[in-house]
Amino acid sequence: MAVVMKQLDRSEEAIEAIKSFRSFCSKQAQESLDNVLIDLFKKCGKVDDQIMLLKQKLRQIHEGKLFNGKPIKTARSHGKKIQVTLTQETSRVLGNLGWAYMQKGNFMAAEVVYKKAQMIYADSNKACNLAQCLIKQARYDEARYILEDIWRGKYIGANDTKTKNRVEELLLELDSKQPPPFLQNIPGLDLDDDFANGLEQLIHEPVRPKSRRLPIFEEISTFRDQLAC
């Protein structure tokens, strides 16, 4: 019933339905209900509730209560039956927790959680999210290193089209925040933004038959002529 309500965009009602009637469900059904609740909390923007439930699932994993104490379970993904290991599930829950922390703007906590998830079961989606956390903390070189590893296919799912597109988007974001490589780490170099942007445009601007100088260099020429006078 809750799943149907979710599909009908009645997520708030679905949450209340689960809370009201889950006590009538079997012990084996509780795990599935938690998973549905997590998705509903995410859809409704109830991030604090989502974080609380994800932490509860991690405690259950630690206490050996998840999967009814078994190391593997059968689940459904896109209508197909798949085998999920406890290791994969732990990494998935940690990944969801990291995403929830990102929605709260707590990128340091998200970074810690994502790194733990990657140690358990690494994949390209969590690697992208980790890179995004690092970008938000202005740790651009670390983020670029991860993104380049994804691009080289070092993570599961790296060849997926959506992953490739996201890596490109994050690299573009990185390029917009970092100065050009040839201007980095030069001792004593302190260029203002206009001058640095002028150099960047000069380098990437196509060569034209007619001479065309950027405004910043016109200003430099004017200043030089004034000095000459």
Side-chain angles (χ1 to χ4, degrees):
M1 180 176 68
V3 175
V4 174
M5 287 182 174
K6 177 186 174 184
Q7 293 171 347
L8 295 173
D9 202 23
R10 295 165 59 185
S11 299
E12 295 279 358
E13 294 175 66
I15 291 171
E16 292 306 315
I18 292 175
K19 289 181 176 179
S20 299
F21 298 107
R22 71 178 304 167
S23 59
F24 298 101
C25 299
S26 66
K27 183 179 178 180
Q28 289 75 19
Q30 298 303 316
E31 183 185 330
S32 295
L33 290 173
D34 283 341
N35 290 335
V36 174
L37 265 179
I38 288 170
D39 287 341
L40 289 169
F41 287 149
K42 183 177 181 179
K43 188 172 184 179
C44 293
K46 295 179 179 291
V47 182
D48 289 330
D49 290 329
Q50 185 184 359
I51 289 173
M52 182 180 67
L53 191 50
L54 287 166
K55 287 181 175 179
Q56 178 180 307
K57 286 184 75 71
L58 289 172
R59 282 195 296 271
Q60 291 173 344
I61 292 172
H62 179 70
E63 294 168 359
K65 295 179 179 178
L66 211 65
F67 289 11
N68 296 316
K70 298 177 182 179
I72 193 169
K73 77 169 183 177
T74 301
R76 284 191 174 274
S77 177
H78 304 291
K80 297 180 180 180
K81 287 187 176 182
I82 59 171
Q83 298 293 311
V84 180
T85 66
L86 193 58
T87 298
Q88 291 172 321
E89 180 68 4
T90 304
S91 181
R92 186 188 72 82
V93 173
L94 285 168
N96 286 337
L97 182 59
W99 181 255
Y101 278 130
M102 286 180 69
Q103 306 317 298
K104 297 276 289 183
N106 191 344
F107 299 108
M108 290 181 67
E111 176 197 346
V112 171
V113 173
Y114 276 125
K115 283 183 174 178
K116 184 66 174 177
Q118 291 294 79
M119 289 170 62
I120 296 171
Y121 188 84
D123 64 47
S124 57
N125 181 55
K126 292 192 289 293
C128 283
N129 290 339
L130 175 56
Q132 188 173 352
C133 288
L134 294 170
I135 292 172
K136 294 294 185 181
Q137 297 177 71
R139 290 158 61 188
Y140 304 129
D141 289 337
E142 295 174 68
R144 188 177 296 277
Y145 181 82
I146 292 172
L147 292 172
E148 288 175 351
D149 274 352
I150 301 171
W151 194 259
R152 294 188 190 102
K154 292 187 177 182
Y155 292 97
I156 295 173
N159 294 322
D160 182 77
T161 303
K162 290 183 178 179
T163 298
K164 291 284 188 184
N165 291 339
R166 190 171 179 210
V167 170
E168 289 179 351
E169 290 172 2
L170 289 170
L171 285 171
L172 285 173
E173 183 178 351
L174 261 179
D175 291 339
S176 71
K177 295 178 182 295
Q178 277 187 305
F182 64 90
L183 292 178
Q184 295 182 37
N185 303 320
I186 303 178
L189 183 63
D190 185 18
L191 301 177
D192 61 50
D193 290 341
D194 288 337
F195 191 77
N197 290 336
L199 287 175
E200 182 72 356
Q201 292 177 41
L202 180 66
I203 290 167
H204 293 293
E205 189 173 357
V207 177
R208 294 182 175 85
K210 185 179 179 181
S211 175
R212 178 182 176 186
R213 292 194 298 179
L214 297 169
I216 183 77
F217 297 106
E218 295 289 354
E219 293 175 11
I220 292 173
S221 298
T222 303
F223 182 66
R224 182 189 58 198
D225 294 339
Q226 290 174 355
L227 288 177
C229 295

